[in-house]
Amino acid sequence: MEFVNSWAETARGLPLTVPPFLDRSILKARTPPKLLSHDLHEFAEIEDISEIDKAYKEEMIYSSFCFEPEKLEQLKKNAMEDGALEKCTTFEALSAFVWRARTQALRMRPDQQVRVLIAVDGRSRSEPPIPKGYFGNAVIVTNSTCSASHLLENPLSFAVGLVQKAISKATDSSMRAAIDYFEIARAWPSRTAVLLVTAWSKLSFHCADFGWGEPIFHGPVDFPERETIIFVSHGKQRKSIHTRLGLPDSAMKIYEELTRI
């Protein structure tokens, strides 16, 4: 978004607010790579004992679900009501909620291992912090894994705790280890029984004025991949969050029912 907003400033004949920082070497792999001391479970394969791939051969349905401020507050209240958590953010509550709903909608077996991947901005977590104006991805993908039965039979606070645990693992060390691992293996995290949560809700799409005023709509230009859910905020106040995902037709019908709060 720094790139897009700089492009918009150029289109309006304005000087750049954030000059680009283009040195890609700050995120290169180490020599030699260092892997042994870090948790890289996001790359571990999960066995598909629930025949999830078979389900995805159905017609795919892509949809957007709006969570207004009242719904978001209710989710946080639901997550905190049993006293298991000391605190809970909107992102954590919503991520846990949709992870549980998607798992149930896909009718996963109780002993199916399920995983949530959280895309975390690594700019402030890097040591030293990545310079402002770094035009490119600097994302840490971190994770938590459990069985479908544990995820669904426990209260919402349990899933929120797993999301919090995943986020807490997003450190400079884990980011460097993942970079090193990818340099060696060229592997991507497992995609079986996995949900990748990526939040665009804090990105400054609403500021991208190319000379015609602020945008009235923004979002991805393509459907999210089947394992991905995207959080996007809308409106000038940006208090509502839209979640976008794709599911097989039969699973989407169940998901729609489960996400009515």
Side-chain angles (χ1 to χ4, degrees):
M1 283 314 302
E2 286 182 343
F3 165 74
V4 170
N5 287 323
S6 293
W7 182 13
E9 287 176 335
T10 301
R12 301 198 321 271
L14 301 176
L16 296 183
T17 302
V18 182
F21 181 87
L22 302 176
D23 182 6
R24 293 287 189 260
S25 67
I26 62 173
L27 291 179
K28 70 179 180 180
R30 293 168 293 194
T31 306
K34 302 175 184 177
L35 302 176
L36 299 180
S37 61
H38 295 286
D39 176 1
L40 292 170
H41 290 166
E42 63 267 29
F43 294 98
E45 289 298 322
I46 296 176
E47 183 182 359
D48 182 8
I49 64 174
S50 302
E51 298 186 325
I52 303 166
D53 283 339
K54 183 178 179 180
Y56 273 100
K57 292 179 181 178
E58 293 180 28
E59 179 187 3
M60 288 289 291
I61 304 297
Y62 295 89
S63 192
S64 178
F65 299 84
C66 182
F67 290 81
E68 295 88 358
E70 303 79 34
K71 288 185 178 180
L72 295 172
E73 283 302 315
Q74 184 61 49
L75 274 181
K76 291 169 66 175
K77 182 179 178 180
N78 293 348
M80 298 286 291
E81 64 184 359
D82 63 357
L85 301 172
E86 293 183 2
K87 59 182 179 179
C88 173
T89 67
T90 297
F91 174 81
E92 292 163 354
L94 186 55
S95 297
F97 179 75
V98 299
W99 184 25
R100 294 173 87 239
R102 179 179 177 273
T103 300
Q104 187 171 346
L106 287 168
R107 300 186 183 94
M108 296 188 192
R109 285 178 43 170
D111 52 344
Q112 174 69 61
Q113 290 294 295
V114 294
R115 178 176 298 150
V116 64
L117 297 179
I118 307 291
V120 180
D121 185 4
R123 284 165 172 76
S124 62
R125 298 169 189 261
S126 175
E127 298 176 8
I130 294 172
K132 191 172 179 60
Y134 180 83
F135 283 10
N137 287 328
V139 173
I140 306 170
V141 178
T142 185
N143 75 97
S144 278
T145 304
C146 70
S147 67
S149 60
H150 276 100
L151 183 66
L152 299 178
E153 293 171 8
N154 281 294
L156 180 60
S157 60
F158 175 80
V160 172
L162 290 177
V163 171
Q164 292 176 339
K165 179 181 177 182
I167 295 171
S168 70
K169 294 190 290 187
T171 63
D172 178 76
S173 295
S174 64
M175 179 168 65
R176 302 293 171 182
I179 292 170
D180 289 354
Y181 183 84
F182 185 78
E183 181 71 15
I184 295 170
R186 296 294 174 183
W188 188 250
S190 175
R191 299 174 65 169
T192 300
V194 167
L195 175 65
L196 170 62
V197 180
T198 179
W200 293 12
S201 50
K202 292 185 178 180
L203 298 180
S204 52
F205 290 99
H206 62 291
C207 298
D209 181 359
F210 284 81
W212 309 299
E214 294 181 355
I216 59 173
F217 182 81
H218 64 259
V221 297
D222 202 354
F223 296 129
E225 293 185 20
R226 75 181 206 186
E227 298 87 3
T228 305
I229 188 163
I230 299 174
F231 296 173
V232 184
S233 61
H234 282 300
K236 289 187 177 182
Q237 300 299 319
R238 298 197 298 158
K239 292 183 178 180
S240 295
I241 296 179
H242 289 244
T243 62
R244 299 180 182 179
L245 81 163
L247 284 170
D249 186 23
S250 60
M252 183 61 81
K253 291 181 173 66
I254 299 172
Y255 184 86
E256 287 173 349
E257 291 296 323
L258 293 173
T259 51
R260 290 196 174 102
I261 303 175

